[in-house]
């Protein structure tokens, strides 16, 4: 069974695993293998989730997707950032795309084991419901061009 719910601190290790593995498989060939496979990369994500530092985004929320009780991914969302930050678009280009009082999905990752399971659709639906409840009529999700 697939379920989307608010994240809890005790989800941290499973969230970190989904984040790490999602990057390692999804960004293979986009970022250097040495970076993706490094212990530093994994440890930074583990420490960040354990410290629950996503709260640096004021008013943001994190939702998780679980399949058969296992947390397999997350969506981090809230108000659109004032200055859009994107690895593949320059600031001048990004400014044209910003939404004045919109929402933003800051991060959306699933463990590769869950790709194709329907967990992404359930999680995105939960994210849209949350952003709509906050009064946002539109939202943005930045993605890498590659």
């Amino acid at each position: 069974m697939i379920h989307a719910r608010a994240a809890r601190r005790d989800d941290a290790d499973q969230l970190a695993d989904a984040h790490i593995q999602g990057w390692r498989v999804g960004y293979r060939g986009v970022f250097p293998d040495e970076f993706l496979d490094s212990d530093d990369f994994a440890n930074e994500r583990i420490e960040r989730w354990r410290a629950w530092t996503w709260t640096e985004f004021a008013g943001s929320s994190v939702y998780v997707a679980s399949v058969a009780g296992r947390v397999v991914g997350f969506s981090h969302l809230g108000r659109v950032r004032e200055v859009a930050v994107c690895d593949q678009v320059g600031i001048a280009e990004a400014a044209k795309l910003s939404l004045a009082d919109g929402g933003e999905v800051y991060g959306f990752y699933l463990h590769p084991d869950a790709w194709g399971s329907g967990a992404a659709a359930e999680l995105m639906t939960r994210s849209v419901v949350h952003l709509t409840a906050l009064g946002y009529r539109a939202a943005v999700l930045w993605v890498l061009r590659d």
Side-chain angles (χ1 to χ4, degrees):
M1 175 162 185
I2 300 168
H3 181 66
R5 61 166 171 78
R8 302 183 304 250
R9 285 186 182 265
D10 63 345
D11 296 324
D13 287 347
Q14 290 181 78
L15 286 164
D17 185 48
H19 201 179
I20 293 162
Q21 297 309 319
W23 266 68
R24 285 183 170 165
V25 174
Y27 295 141
R28 185 77 53 193
V30 176
F31 291 100
D33 289 352
E34 299 78 27
F35 169 74
L36 294 172
D37 296 333
S38 73
D39 289 339
D40 287 344
F41 167 77
N43 290 335
E44 185 275 330
R45 299 253 175 332
I46 292 166
E47 288 174 22
R48 185 173 171 103
W49 281 108
R50 286 180 178 170
W52 214 243
T53 58
W54 58 268
T55 57
E56 67 196 30
F57 291 82
S60 70
S61 298
V62 175
Y63 286 91
V64 301
S66 64
V67 175
R70 175 182 164 225
V71 172
V72 295
F74 70 91
S75 177
H76 178 201
L77 51 134
R79 181 183 170 90
V80 71
R81 290 174 281 183
E82 298 272 328
V83 176
V85 178
C86 180
D87 295 329
Q88 301 293 312
V89 176
I91 294 299
E93 246 183 293
K96 295 179 205 168
L97 301 172
S98 81
L99 301 166
D101 290 312
E104 180 173 353
V105 178
Y106 309 124
F108 191 92
Y109 291 95
L110 258 67
H111 194 290
D113 292 351
W115 294 357
S117 69
E122 182 73 19
L123 186 56
M124 187 55 77
T125 297
R126 182 66 188 97
S127 299
V128 169
V129 166
H130 180 79
L131 290 171
T132 301
L134 292 175
Y136 301 127
R137 295 179 5 167
V140 63
L141 166 65
W142 291 100
V143 297
L144 294 173
R145 185 174 297 146
D146 294 338

